[in-house]
Amino acid sequence: MPSRREWIALTTGASAALAFGPSLLAQATPLIRRTIPSSGEAIPVVGLGSAATFAQAARGEDVSAIREILKTLVDLGGTVFDTAPSYGASEEVAGSLAAELGIGARLFWATKVNVAARGGTADRTAAMAQIDASFAKARRKTIDLIQVHNLGDVPTQLGLLKDLKRQGRIRYLGVTTTFDAQYGELESIMNNEPLDFIEIDYSIANRNVEDVILPLALKRKIGVIVALPFGRASLFSRVAGKALPEWAREIDATTWAQYFLKYLIGHPAVTVVIPGTSKPANMRDNLGAAMGRLPDEATRQRMVEYFTAVAN
Ligand SMILES: NC(=O)c1ccc[n+]([C@@H]2O[C@H](COP(=O)([O-])OP(=O)(O)OC[C@H]3O[C@@H](n4cnc5c(N)ncnc54)[C@H](OP(=O)(O)O)[C@@H]3O)[C@@H](O)[C@H]2O)c1
């Protein structure tokens, strides 16, 4: 069995799969899991998002990188895949590749619904048609999670999701937003609706949810999915050419990606982070954040201070 140090060396080198095989690696180094507060089901703390660069890759003719990313996610013990009808070809291509790879049943499939015009109303029949299309693209009879995207007409669309949950077609429901201006509305929905999850924007450089939203999620026992954990890659350019602090090894962070993700996972309200990527090597790197030690609150403060001091 490889130790964690050997695992890091192996997974950052091309010889990893040849030397041990991915399932042995996953067996040797299980990913950290968090429980979904509403059910007690445990899921790995790092998953995969499919907007942005993943969606760009899914649009192309050669989807081999996407295939490899999904395979890497599952081989190393990950399950959570976050998508949406509005992410171009992501939902369809991932559904088709998951079927081809035979990994559909191992994925925790999270998608979204939104047919409301910006701030407007959603037609229930149109919302149901969009959800039916998501079932077809995912090639599944049950979808693990559907969320109302960007708080679009929550009464209509969350109402529909509640019906689908009652019917057993979806296992969990929730709402998403990555707009600070919607946090007041989000807070009210969290206080008044039976949500399993919220999905929000959170990163070491964007910590607004720490004031009200994350404490409320803990209080109301709502799972938290972290979108935009790298601020759409802006965090990497802010630390370009800057070294990790020596003490990052005390939390087993060997790359900036792991440093950024471990900061988020260290918050007790966070259930799963879903960095997006178009590169299998980055998928492996990100899953490394679900291994080893996590920062306590004092270390998280130190992480913010160091980042603030070195970031451009
Ligand atoms: N309202 C909503 O519900 C909402 C809104 C926004 C996003 N989301 C969800 O959140 C997910 C994450 O957001 P995002 O993908 O937009 O942004 P992100 O995860 O903050 O950043 C993705 C960027 O980071 C790069 N990256 C990933 N892993 C890396 C690594 N280990 N090292 C260096 N660079 C790395 C990616 O480039 P490479 O391709 O080169 O790896 C990509 O440019 C989305 O995919 C989506 O599923 C939800």
Side-chain angles (χ1 to χ4, degrees), residues 48-54 82-83 87 112 149-150 176-179 199 226-233 236 257 274-279 281-283 285-286:
L48 168 65
S50 65
T53 55
F54 184 104
D82 180 81
T83 190
Y87 296 169
K112 310 190 182 80
H149 206 165
N150 294 333
T176 83
T177 179
T178 53
F179 300 106
E199 181 168 326
V226 175
L228 305 177
F230 301 138
R232 296 196 168 94
F236 295 107
I274 49 157
T277 184
S278 57
K279 299 190 177 79
N282 285 350
M283 184 75 255
D285 183 11
N286 297 341

Side-chain angles (χ1 to χ4, degrees), residues 183-223:
Y183 285 179
E185 188 185 350
L186 174 64
E187 202 185 318
S188 158
I189 294 164
M190 290 171 73
N191 274 315
N192 293 297
E193 294 287 356
L195 301 178
D196 299 302
F197 283 99
I198 55 167
E199 181 168 326
I200 41 81
D201 55 318
Y202 183 27
S203 79
I204 199 166
N206 168 24
R207 304 187 300 279
N208 295 347
V209 289
E210 289 179 348
D211 297 338
V212 175
I213 301 298
L214 294 183
L216 184 58
L218 278 172
K219 182 173 162 219
R220 297 277 298 151
K221 297 188 169 41
I222 298 170

